[in-house]
Amino acid sequence: MSYVDEVYDRVVKQNPGEGEFHQAVKEVLDSLRIVIDANEAKYRKAALLERLVEPERIISFRVPWVDDNGQVRVNKGFRVQFNSAIGPYKGGLRLHPSVNQGILKFLGFEQTFKNSLTGLPIGGGKGGSDFDPKGKSDREVMAFCQSFMTELSKYIGADQDVPAGDIGVGAREIGYLYGQYKRMTGLYEGVLTGKGLTYGGSLVRTQATGYGLIYILDEMLRHNGRELEGKSVVISGSGNVAIYASEKAIQLGAKVVALSDSTGYIYDKNGIRLEIVKEIKEVRRGRIKEYADEVPSAVYTEGKGIWNIPCDIALPCATQNELNLEDAKALKANGCFAVAEGANMPSTREATDFFLENGMMFMPGKAANAGGVATSALEMSQNSLRLSWTFEEVDKKLHDIMVGIYEKSAKAAKRYGVKGNYVAGANIAGFEKVVEAMMAQGIV
Ligand code: NDP
């Protein structure tokens, strides 16, 4: 049996019930077979893969808090410190009822390679809770965040582990978490990224994942003889990533025709008016349905189905496994020629294979959404320097990083004879750096 298959079997056996984690490990290791087979004896002796798929540490804790009726509630809190070979653990915190250890392990594992790919000195981690911020008052969110950080603060630090936002964690939550960290430790340090601009945040961090997604998409299109201008784009989600991907796509001359949330999607043949979406989502914290109440050219449809809308380019920006094989076929049949993932692992394995086998351009999340964490690393640098760079400075660095990620992924794919397969390219490029650092640091 090959080393990859052996290690994958072991992962399935040792981590029961963690389907997303198995899926992520399988996808990554499968695409690395060419590299692993070429170095099998060396990697086996060092148990490299066994170490790579085992988090360095998982912290799991109780999060008690009091709701507005005086009732005590209890959630589960986690931090998965996956790999620190190339820098302090770095990765977001997710607050969503679906959160469990397996999902955070899949995210932390993926994050390790993504962070490596940015070229910046950051390791991989992820955390969160099954707390659902939807429908909670500001006071309840604060009570939860303070309780969560009271425990988490024992395990993180500016040179140790630097969490950030993810689903359900935006500026409000980061503010409450940061305040509590400072109170618990007495340290005013860059322990979280995505902070507000008045207390150490970086310009462009809010926009970074969405803008970065469009920068790398643009790069991929141009290298394949296409351009973004004039193209119609369907984007799922209407959170941080979806909104700023829409903004940059529109700025570069594309027409965004659809957005969604977990209850349904809107289609506006005239092109989405983003100022209205921002008002609904960022100010009122409302539902995407409200857009259709305000804009006569828009149609709202309840439930799934966004990928049946004809478009040139599809950008899944909501959550994992939101785009399956049927969706991939529908996209292709309707003329879609490029897909780039703003979310983490939004396409199922079957959908990804379909894109690759049917000559569609496909940029996986690991490369395509790395702009967020890259800008978080730039926020860490500014905090260490006690300086703030201008919007233009950070935006240019972000752009250069995304172009660099495209080049690294494209070159690695070419080097191993799978030109145009950015899934393999991104995994190989991310893997090589982490492995070199792990081998150099001995058995740890
Ligand atoms: P937000 O919480 O801001 O937005 C998430 C969006 O996706 C919302 O519109 C939400 O709808 C929708 N959504 C969430 N869960 C589901 C679900 N189970 N089914 C359908 N729709 C769902 O999160 P972000 O925009 O920050 O994150 C989106 C994705 O991008 C995630 O996969 C995240 O890991 C990834 N990502 C984010 C980065 C960042 O910097 N923020 C960086 C890199 C990756 P509703 O409001 O109805 O829940």
Side-chain angles (χ1 to χ4, degrees):
M1 196 189 248
S2 78
Y3 188 29
V4 164
D5 294 328
E6 248 175 54
V7 172
Y8 176 68
D9 282 357
R10 179 186 155 112
V11 164
V12 172
K13 235 178 249 148
Q14 290 190 334
N15 303 273
E18 297 185 346
E20 290 86 356
F21 180 52
H22 304 167
Q23 184 185 342
V25 169
K26 179 144 186 59
E27 192 195 298
V28 170
L29 294 188
D30 271 349
S31 74
L32 289 170
R33 272 178 202 273
I34 347 172
V35 187
I36 294 167
D37 289 352
N39 294 282
E40 180 165 341
K42 188 170 73 169
Y43 291 171
R44 264 188 194 273
K45 183 144 195 280
L48 185 94
L49 295 188
E50 289 86 337
R51 285 191 280 149
L52 200 66
V53 297
E54 191 65 42
E56 289 177 19
R57 188 176 301 102
I58 299 179
I59 301 135
S60 155
F61 51 95
R62 174 170 77 200
V63 190
W65 56 280
V66 183
D67 73 15
D68 284 347
N69 299 318
Q71 174 65 48
V72 176
R73 308 264 207 117
V74 183
N75 287 99
K76 279 181 179 295
F78 301 96
R79 184 71 182 164
V80 179
Q81 298 183 329
F82 218 108
N83 191 305
S84 63
I86 63 170
Y89 310 105
K90 181 93 200 81
L93 296 173
R94 176 174 292 191
L95 299 184
H96 192 273
S98 64
V99 165
N100 57 41
Q101 187 168 294
I103 288 187
L104 296 177
K105 278 166 72 178
F106 122 62
L107 289 163
F109 181 70
E110 288 272 304
Q111 191 85 44
T112 302
F113 302 105
K114 181 194 302 186
N115 292 1
S116 166
L117 204 49
T118 65
L120 300 167
I122 39 180
K126 200 83 188 188
S129 170
D130 58 356
F131 172 81
D132 186 0
K134 237 178 270 160
K136 302 288 190 304
S137 69
D138 282 354
R139 196 211 59 80
E140 288 176 322
V141 171
M142 181 169 74
F144 169 82
C145 288
Q146 290 183 339
S147 179
F148 184 84
M149 185 51 90
T150 299
E151 190 59 27
L152 187 68
S153 63
K154 298 169 190 165
Y155 308 99
I156 61 175
D159 292 312
Q160 190 181 355
D161 183 356
V162 183
D166 190 68
I167 292 177
V169 177
R172 174 181 61 168
E173 291 76 17
I174 293 289
Y176 295 149
L177 291 164
Y178 190 72
Q180 186 69 1
Y181 178 82
K182 190 159 58 71
R183 196 174 177 203
M184 298 299 299
T185 62
L187 295 172
Y188 205 105
E189 59 172 12
V191 69
L192 291 168
T193 56
K195 298 187 292 298
L197 294 175
T198 53
Y199 62 96
S202 173
L203 288 161
V204 194
R205 178 60 190 91
T206 305
Q207 296 85 352
T209 307
Y211 278 23
L213 171 66
I214 302 302
Y215 292 152
I216 200 167
L217 167 71
D218 191 39
E219 203 61 20
M220 175 173 75
L221 293 176
R222 286 192 302 104
H223 277 87
N224 288 279
R226 301 276 197 150
E227 59 175 19
L228 188 55
E229 197 174 348
K231 300 297 180 299
S232 63
V233 184
V234 165
I235 302 183
S236 64
S238 49
N240 174 268
V241 180
I243 286 178
Y244 292 97
S246 303
E247 184 167 283
K248 186 52 74 179
I250 294 166
Q251 279 174 16
L252 296 186
K255 185 165 154 187
V256 177
V257 294
L259 285 173
S260 66
D261 60 21
S262 54
T263 26
Y265 61 92
I266 48 162
Y267 170 67
D268 187 343
K269 61 180 187 318
N270 294 342
I272 299 282
R273 289 166 59 190
L274 202 60
E275 71 285 2
I276 298 179
V277 176
K278 283 188 178 180
E279 164 67 24
I280 295 168
K281 285 288 170 183
E282 295 185 333
V283 182
R284 304 203 308 249
R285 293 181 188 273
R287 308 303 299 158
I288 202 67
K289 178 181 193 298
E290 295 163 37
Y291 180 91
D293 300 336
E294 290 176 40
V295 180
S297 55
V299 182
Y300 172 74
T301 308
E302 191 95 5
K304 295 183 191 296
I306 191 169
W307 307 120
N308 293 323
I309 299 173
C311 62
D312 299 311
I313 296 165
L315 305 177
C317 294
T319 195
Q320 63 271 1
N321 293 327
E322 55 162 312
L323 196 164
N324 63 23
L325 179 60
E326 291 312 305
D327 299 324
K329 286 181 179 166
L331 283 169
K332 169 85 181 161
N334 287 327
C336 173
F337 59 81
V339 179
E341 298 183 324
N344 284 310
M345 207 169 73
S347 315
T348 62
R349 174 65 188 267
E350 294 74 27
T352 301
D353 289 347
F354 180 88
F355 294 141
L356 295 176
E357 285 158 13
N358 285 275
M360 292 167 77
M361 283 174 242
F362 177 72
M363 187 57 72
K366 194 173 290 112
N369 68 35
V373 75
T375 308
S376 278
L378 299 177
E379 183 174 331
M380 289 163 69
S381 301
Q382 293 169 79
N383 291 163
S384 297
L385 293 166
R386 306 216 182 278
L387 285 176
S388 297
W389 297 329
T390 63
F391 191 97
E392 290 69 28
E393 279 174 296
V394 183
D395 194 31
K396 172 156 190 336
K397 287 184 203 294
L398 168 64
H399 186 266
D400 292 350
I401 289 168
M402 297 314 294
V403 171
I405 292 174
Y406 174 81
E407 281 169 0
K408 274 180 238 171
S409 306
K411 271 192 196 141
K414 201 168 161 203
R415 192 151 35 89
Y416 281 92
V418 283
K419 188 168 180 276
N421 181 340
Y422 305 112
V423 176
N427 282 332
I428 294 168
F431 174 81
E432 283 179 334
K433 183 176 169 190
V434 175
V435 165
E436 204 178 315
M438 283 176 73
M439 295 296 258
Q441 290 172 29
I443 311 304
V444 289

